[in-house]
Amino acid sequence: MASTDVAPILSQGVGYGVVIGIGAFFTVVMAGISWTQNRYTRFSTKTSEEFNTASRSVKPGLIACGVVSAWTWAATLLQSATVAYEYGVSGPFWYAAGATVQIFMFSVLAVKVKQNAPMCHTFLEIVYKRYGAATHIVFIFFALATNILVASQLLLGGSAVVTALTGMNVYAAVFLIPTGVCAYVVLGGLRATFLCDYSHTLIVMIVILCKPSDAMANRILYERHHADGWSDFMFNVYTSNPLIGSPGAMWDLLKHASEVRPVAGNTDGSYLTLKSNDALIFGVIQLCSGMGTVFLDQGYWQRAIASRPKTAVPGYILGGFAWFAIPFGFATTLGLSAVALTDNPAYPTYPNPMTKTQISSGLSAAFGAAALLGKSGSIALLITLFMAVTSSSSSELIAVSSILTFDVYKTYVKPTAAPKELIFVSHVMICFFGLVMAAFACIWNAVGVDLGWLFLVMGLIIGGAVFPAAFTLCWKGQTKFGAIAGCLGGLVAGVTAWLVQAHVQYGELTITSTGGSYPTLAGNVAAVLTGLLLSFSISVIKPDDFDFAITRTINSASPVATPRSEASESEPREESLDGKEKEGKDQEAVVDELPTELAEDREMMEDAEVLRDPKGLQRTFYLALILSCVLSFIMDFLIPMPMFFSHYVFSKGFFVGWVVIGFLWVFFAVFTCGILPIAETWQFWRMLYGETIGRKKKSRA
């Protein structure tokens, strides 16, 4: 079959079933969880504080899981496999390492949020309080641009693979994927995204890691063409698959591929080396682009805002470590499998290699899964991708909803809006942005922009605002003009360097030329560094001396109010004709408080004590600063650069150890995102069981 005409492996019915069915299932589940939450906890989804900030009560395990989920885009799975297919073992490493350090660095900002603006809803509220409307509007532009680019990437990559595997109409996929997500986010708000983060991320990791039954392994050759069973990847590829079956066999196949299809810029053209010039360039682009998408995406700030004061740093550090396992493990499996099996008759494009369009669209993972496991592999990849896309989409929806609600509607349209009105606006904005992200994905698809191009170009558009955003919280000397100049100057410099390099190198400006490695590298580096230089140099000429006590007053009218107090304040109070009767009802309410609510009250009082003394978090700030710097140095220099400069090519034994490390890392991620959140809330589940099942048993007795 020609590489330009690969028939779908699955039927359209499977595509529609996954997209519509799973979305509907999680909507029903979230409706039940929201009812349980409203019935048995202090945290009512009917209040704007709970809906947009999860009442600032989330523990580190769930924060880590949320970070992993928000950072696991379609590109995390598809683009990481693409760079593995293009560059070999260096691709998965640089994809993971280049985008993990931003999470480590953001732990510093997470502490600063708790120190300097503990009651804010968005980081843009801090910008408005410090600099005023003009700077606020500039930052709103960059924040929304980030969310639009990220969200449309999710749908662009997800819909491309759904279409390739099932033949489902690409535009139908673009609009149907966010429909179910909008429904369950409207029902549950930010906490709903955390809970779906947990379930979706756990499913992704299980599919990446776990081993199928022996019967399934023995039937893979048959299933490749006929079966509709379930399967998974890492254990299968490296232990039982008849086409590969072990790390040693993978090494042999990659060595053969290096001889048949050598990689330009790699030592000896090998797929088994970290000395890859293009992979290193990609790593730098990933670092610059990732800084923009983390530092300017309200979704990450929202997780910092939602965390308890002393748990933000552990949440982000654990989340960074856990996330590394997903692109590294996934691409080291499916991306390298695609390289190893390109010359195998089982590969969908055989006897031809993949086209540049197919590679840039992220189809190496899909073709690798199909070659390895047939229909079962395609179904597994389809579900994994759907989980990743919908989970990160929910983060983008609630993030944009918060910006449009608090930074646009409440700031410029109706400053006196009541909590119930803000809830309604949040619901409307979630649905509105669902349409916007789908519309942009359709536009990119119609003009021929694919996932790879958008991924590389995104950073040069938003990178100028990275350091001005960080300095807003961390440096009292940054001025309003320095912040604005850094943002806009970085944008101009990034776009200019990008287009000039593309024209000089290729002699034309096309989608192909502007998506090249060197033009996008020039644009990304120019945007980030120009933003840094302008914001710093302009500010030091006449530095500000800002007092962060001002930002600590944001939304601070009732810093220790319970989430339910907001609802009660917005509702008319019933007047009792009999004062004694009213007093009796109040006493009865106190007696009837649930153990789950009392435990939540204790935690809220502890958090309030911490926030009253922001200097008490200074030790946590220094810890975050040291950890982020040390871990970033180890991950992006100490590990890869000696192997890069020595031109080391992996031996078979070293490659086996490399794969084993990948397995161990994924196991750690499963513990962090699957077991830790349950362990942290074990007391709550025990008390909830006592209030529901236990009480019913006693009443029957």
Side-chain angles (χ1 to χ4, degrees), residues 469-677:
F471 288 158
T472 298
L473 264 177
C474 298
W475 182 31
K476 65 180 181 179
Q478 179 172 253
T479 64
K480 174 173 66 175
F481 299 108
I484 294 175
C487 293
L488 300 181
L491 173 61
V492 172
V495 172
T496 302
W498 170 48
L499 296 178
V500 168
Q501 177 63 33
H503 190 271
V504 169
Q505 184 174 352
Y506 297 102
E508 60 180 359
L509 294 178
T510 64
I511 290 179
T512 301
S513 66
T514 55
S517 295
Y518 285 100
T520 51
L521 173 66
N524 276 273
V525 173
V528 173
L529 293 184
T530 301
L532 169 62
L533 292 174
L534 286 177
S535 62
F536 179 77
S537 58
I538 291 175
S539 296
V540 296
I541 294 173
K542 189 178 180 182
D544 196 0
D545 187 21
F546 184 74
D547 184 358
F548 284 106
I550 296 173
T551 56
R552 282 194 284 272
T553 63
I554 297 174
N555 303 317
S556 61
S558 55
V560 295
T562 62
R564 291 192 187 274
S565 65
E566 181 187 312
S568 62
E569 288 172 5
S570 62
E571 297 172 359
R573 299 182 178 180
E574 296 182 5
E575 295 184 1
S576 174
L577 296 177
D578 189 334
K580 293 182 180 180
E581 181 182 348
K582 181 179 179 181
E583 182 180 354
K585 287 183 178 180
D586 290 341
Q587 291 176 353
E588 183 181 350
V590 173
V591 172
D592 288 343
E593 279 192 310
L594 302 175
T596 51
E597 295 179 332
L598 295 174
E600 289 155 3
D601 285 345
R602 286 194 296 271
E603 290 181 353
M604 293 172 68
M605 295 302 294
E606 292 170 4
D607 294 345
E609 287 299 321
V610 173
L611 297 178
R612 286 194 183 98
D613 181 22
K615 292 183 179 179
L617 290 172
Q618 196 65 18
R619 182 179 297 179
T620 307
F621 166 72
Y622 288 131
L623 174 65
L625 190 62
I626 293 170
L627 283 176
S628 62
C629 292
V630 171
L631 292 174
S632 298
F633 172 77
I634 292 172
M635 196 162 283
D636 279 1
F637 185 84
L638 191 60
I639 293 175
M641 298 319 293
M643 286 189 277
F644 180 89
F645 290 121
S646 65
H647 294 205
Y648 178 68
V649 178
F650 289 11
S651 66
K652 182 176 287 190
F654 191 91
F655 180 73
V656 171
W658 189 262
V659 172
V660 170
I661 290 173
F663 271 90
L664 295 175
W665 214 311
V666 176
F667 276 120
F668 169 78
V670 170
F671 169 80
T672 301
C673 297
I675 299 175
L676 183 58

Side-chain angles (χ1 to χ4, degrees), residues 91-106:
F93 178 84
W94 279 116
Y95 188 101
T100 298
V101 297
Q102 296 90 334
I103 304 299
F104 294 154
M105 294 175 183
F106 196 84

